[in-house]
Amino acid sequence: PNGIKAAGYTPHFRTLSIEPAHAPQEAYEIFGVQDTHKLLCVERVILAEETPTIYIKDYFPPEITPPSHNWSKFNGSMIEFFTSILGADLGHMQVKYSAISIDTNIASHLQLPEGLPVISSQSIMYTFDNIPISYGFSYYNPNIFQLDVVRIIHAKRTPG
């Protein structure tokens, strides 16, 4: 949402689905559960005004299930959901970025042509106790979203 605000738009969340689903194998390994379980999957889109900008698909460990939480209060922000609704203390998030050509499913959610290259991210969110609490994928509309990176360099000139 901050990238959307930085581009001069107002972000809005649209939840597409909240339901148990078979997850990628890596999710089961991260959560330490058998791949015979369905994991809760939350799919949503973040809009810049009315333009789909980020399509997100998150998976959760088996202890987070639809009947045990009040999903009517979910506004699309996972960080707010974990801290406010679940009362979890979040520690850090590991994110891996890459460029991909989007498939039909992702293209339909972002209203972009199939095969278009986009930035994607794969993330794992951890509690303060280093327990993985979510595993997800995000896909960014290149017409709106821009990824800015600031690198801190601590280098001193060498005498010479």
Side-chain angles (χ1 to χ4, degrees):
N2 291 335
I4 294 170
K5 286 179 187 174
Y9 298 96
T10 302
H12 302 282
F13 292 91
R14 179 183 299 151
T15 302
L16 304 174
S17 67
I18 301 172
E19 60 190 12
H22 290 287
Q25 185 61 38
E26 190 172 8
Y28 296 103
E29 294 167 8
I30 288 165
F31 298 134
V33 297
Q34 296 292 322
D35 61 6
T36 54
H37 294 89
K38 285 186 176 181
L39 301 178
L40 179 64
C41 178
V42 176
E43 281 186 275
R44 61 202 187 283
V45 173
I46 301 177
L47 307 160
E49 307 301 341
E50 295 302 316
T51 303
T53 304
I54 307 170
Y55 168 60
I56 305 165
K57 193 170 190 174
D58 285 317
Y59 296 92
F60 304 95
E63 55 270 18
I64 298 177
T65 59
S68 63
H69 302 293
N70 186 355
W71 288 98
S72 64
K73 293 183 179 182
F74 179 63
N75 69 358
S77 169
M78 277 301 152
I79 292 173
E80 186 177 316
F81 172 74
F82 284 125
T83 57
S84 299
I85 297 173
L86 295 183
D89 294 323
L90 301 178
H92 68 282
M93 183 184 290
Q94 179 183 347
V95 183
K96 187 181 346 178
Y97 291 96
S98 60
I100 66 160
S101 294
I102 55 175
D103 63 21
T104 304
N105 180 52
I106 298 165
S108 69
H109 290 298
L110 290 176
Q111 297 175 2
L112 295 170
E114 181 180 354
L116 186 75
V118 300
I119 295 172
S120 70
S121 66
Q122 178 181 351
S123 62
I124 307 168
M125 191 179 311
Y126 294 87
T127 65
F128 218 67
D129 299 326
N130 210 32
I131 297 168
I133 196 166
S134 76
Y135 173 73
F137 301 91
S138 299
Y139 306 92
Y140 304 87
N141 182 332
N143 299 321
I144 304 281
F145 190 84
Q146 176 179 314
L147 179 65
D148 294 318
V149 177
V150 175
R151 292 179 58 189
I152 299 172
I153 302 170
H154 295 281
K156 294 184 179 185
R157 61 187 162 130
T158 56

